[in-house]
């Protein structure tokens, strides 16, 4: 889709240069007006095709407004790895892994202490009891 077609679909003049916030506001307004779920069954097909055109126009203008490349790269990295790159793309795996390891080791350590404490209490209460026998 060409930029002029996309601008016309979203309600802008053909040679205008709308800001990203104006594009987003116009997109939301047009989507609200043409969402297929708001129309009766016999008009859903035409509303759905118009809805798809508006979504395509929004994608075209958003990527053309200078923000699309970095936004989509960041989004795809988050989708692939589950973690956004912090501080200009440097990886901070250590900052994520160290607290996780401390939590795991602390939980295992405390859980082991609690189990030992419970075993000793039971042994003091009933010295002939063997917990490994039925």
């Amino acid at each position: 889709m060409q930029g002029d077609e996309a601008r016309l679909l979203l309600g802008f003049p053909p040679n205008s240069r709308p800001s990203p916030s104006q594009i987003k506001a116009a997109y939301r307004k047009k989507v609200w007006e043409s969402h297929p779920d708001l129309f009766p069954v016999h008009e859903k097909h035409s509303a759905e095709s118009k809805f798809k055109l508006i979504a395509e126009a929004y994608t075209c203008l958003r990527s053309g407004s200078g923000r699309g490349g970095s936004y989509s790269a960041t989004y795809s990295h988050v989708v692939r790895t589950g973690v956004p790159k912090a501080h200009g793309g440097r990886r901070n795996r250590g900052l994520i892994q160290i607290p996780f390891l401390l939590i795991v080791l602390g939980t295992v350590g405390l859980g082991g202490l609690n189990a030992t404490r419970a075993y000793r209490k039971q042994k003091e209460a009933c010295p002939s009891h063997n917990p490994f026998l039925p």
Side-chain angles (χ1 to χ4, degrees):
M1 175 175 287
Q2 297 295 328
D4 290 339
E5 295 174 38
R7 286 186 201 94
L8 284 174
L9 265 173
L10 292 179
F12 296 112
N15 294 326
S16 66
R17 296 190 55 84
S19 69
S21 60
Q22 290 173 327
I23 293 170
K24 189 173 187 178
Y27 169 72
R28 286 184 173 179
K29 181 181 175 190
K30 290 290 184 176
V31 162
W32 184 252
E33 292 172 358
S34 65
H35 197 280
D37 291 343
L38 300 175
F39 287 90
V41 175
H42 64 279
E43 295 178 11
K44 270 193 189 234
H45 182 68
S46 62
E48 187 175 328
S49 62
K50 185 176 179 182
F51 183 78
K52 287 179 182 177
L53 282 173
I54 290 170
E56 185 182 347
Y58 175 67
T59 305
C60 174
L61 288 180
R62 188 186 69 192
S63 64
S65 66
R67 185 176 161 242
S70 63
Y71 175 76
S72 62
T74 303
Y75 179 75
S76 65
H77 180 267
V78 171
V79 168
R80 278 186 283 114
T81 62
V83 180
K85 288 183 180 178
H87 305 293
R90 292 189 314 222
R91 294 182 182 258
N92 291 326
R93 291 181 189 241
L95 294 177
I96 295 168
Q97 290 175 345
I98 290 172
F100 178 73
L101 287 174
L102 291 175
I103 290 170
V104 169
L105 292 175
T107 305
V108 169
L110 292 175
L113 291 176
N114 287 336
T116 304
R117 191 177 309 129
Y119 177 73
R120 285 186 187 146
K121 270 186 175 179
Q122 189 177 13
K123 189 175 181 181
E124 290 170 4
C126 186
S128 65
H129 175 70
N130 186 345
F132 301 107
L133 296 176

